[in-house]
Amino acid sequence: MKYDAIVVGTGASSSLVIDKFIREGKRVLVLERGANMPYAPKSRSQTWKEGTSYAFEDGKHVTRNSWSGLDAANKEPGGKELFSDLVSIENVNKEFRFNYNMRLGYGGSSAVWSGRTWRFYDSDFLTKTKFSYGKDWPVAYDDFAKYYDEAEQILHVSGPQKGEWPFKRNFKYDAYPFTKIDDVVGSIASGKYKIFKSANAVKNLSALEGGCVASKTCVYFCPSNALARHYIYFLEPHKSSGLLDIRFNCVVSHIDCDATGYINRVHVMEGGAEKVINVEKNCFLFLGCNTVENLRILLNSEKRTGKKIANSNDLLGRYFGTQGATVYEVVTKQTLDVGRSRPSTSAGLDPEYGNDRESYNSHMLEIFNINWERGSPGPALKKFQEETKHWGRTLFNEASFLGRATMLSAIFEIELRHRNRVTLSEIKDDFGIPIAKVDFEMSSRDMATFDMLNDSLLSFADHPSCESIKNKGYGLNGNHPLGGYVSGRNSDEGVVDKYCRAFDHENLYLLGAGSFNSASCFNPTLTITANTLHTLSDERLWS
């Protein structure tokens, strides 16, 4: 068949591209490494679980997704694996290593995300001009805003309305109301942050209308389908279309180009064999996997073909990053309704809204309505009693503690720098493709921000409503890989242009957060969605 577009992956960006092309009457071939199995777990024991394991092997720091679907408890009757997220990554540095933790398969991470839908600050698009660090985006916030408007509508975002929210917004529904935790812990944090209701891609409707039922399982599964999942919204409705051809269990290893730079071949692993898909003239190729997987394909392409695929300027893999976080458990003097409502309904923004970055990166505070380290008070208390065999006063004290403890996460921007990069490891995955190797170091700005945040959160202990606050860990967010094929006004500045088209290849588009020039402190999914909508406005796709 002759296709107008070949799309690799079925996640957030890919789904939007597939939807747009089919609505335009175009033929689309989709290459998906996962099985034809929409994410719909039958029980809590069969849900995708977030986490990574760590090992030091042959002189290399290696992290692996701890959810591989290989243990007996996570198999269907007959031993069929529920998931095959055999994700590994090599880290050059141990401290602040990137603990890669992504769901690979049908729908990608858009099947298991938390629904946080913050816009980036307008200053995030101009960190070089405004604050003398990082890279400016080739598109300004004002030009980007209409795509944020559209994204907030199509993802059914519930967020703070006029009078509550200091920024532009186009939320479809009102925000979820504050809980007791938001009020009590928010007052403790208010000396350092301005507290707002969160923006979430979750329908704030009644359960009968498909709204949130507050099951606190957003990342694992949403029983009412209130959480926006891109592939459910934008891909599934087209599966019976004669314009769509999806090849499941099809792993892309690398791509190739002709002498003019036109991407003309896609090499895949399918049915245990390597196959070649020819790309006809006037066909666009979209790499729509997450940032690390897109980089693996591109870097392996150079390794396999000897050609600098999307890398004539040697920027491919550079400016890689994510967001940092430092996590605290706070215990209040008042009893809290721990475990009620959604996991997070409030957040603290810095009082300058990202406009004062002479010394520190942008940062925010998430206030959680559940102690996700210990769980809800009832089950946590039962587990404590079973493990300790305590009764009486000890059990009473533990019950009181569990009713007053919850989690805070201070999230901060990581400076995207040229020295931080992704290359290929000598270690290969089950398909014979090299895993990614990350060489990352915190900058002086990153460390100053990290130290400032820890000092700020520890100062919460002075508030009359706070009994104690304790650090429970810190590190890089393995769910939000960013940069690696940054955007620019020309091929000297970036790998892709403002529409995410590779400067080196007229028919290659690189989607996702890899084209970002700054990390911000906010979850990137809304910006990924808006950026894809901006890509689809490129007239070169439709001329």
Side-chain angles (χ1 to χ4, degrees), residues 406-425:
T406 193
M407 303 296 286
L408 303 174
S409 179
I411 304 167
F412 60 98
E413 171 193 23
I414 294 290
E415 180 184 359
L416 299 188
R417 298 189 294 151
H418 182 273
R419 68 91 49 224
N420 291 338
R421 66 184 302 198
V422 173
T423 56
L424 293 179
S425 172

Side-chain angles (χ1 to χ4, degrees), residues 43-88:
S43 70
R44 285 294 299 273
S45 66
Q46 295 180 349
T47 56
W48 182 86
K49 294 177 178 62
E50 205 171 10
T52 55
S53 59
Y54 165 75
F56 188 71
E57 301 175 5
D58 299 325
K60 300 177 176 65
H61 301 283
V62 179
T63 62
R64 289 193 175 88
N65 193 320
S66 59
W67 174 247
S68 65
L70 296 178
D71 54 288
N74 296 316
K75 288 185 178 180
E76 293 179 334
K80 180 182 178 182
E81 292 178 18
L82 294 170
F83 308 101
S84 57
D85 293 324
L86 304 179
V87 178
S88 300

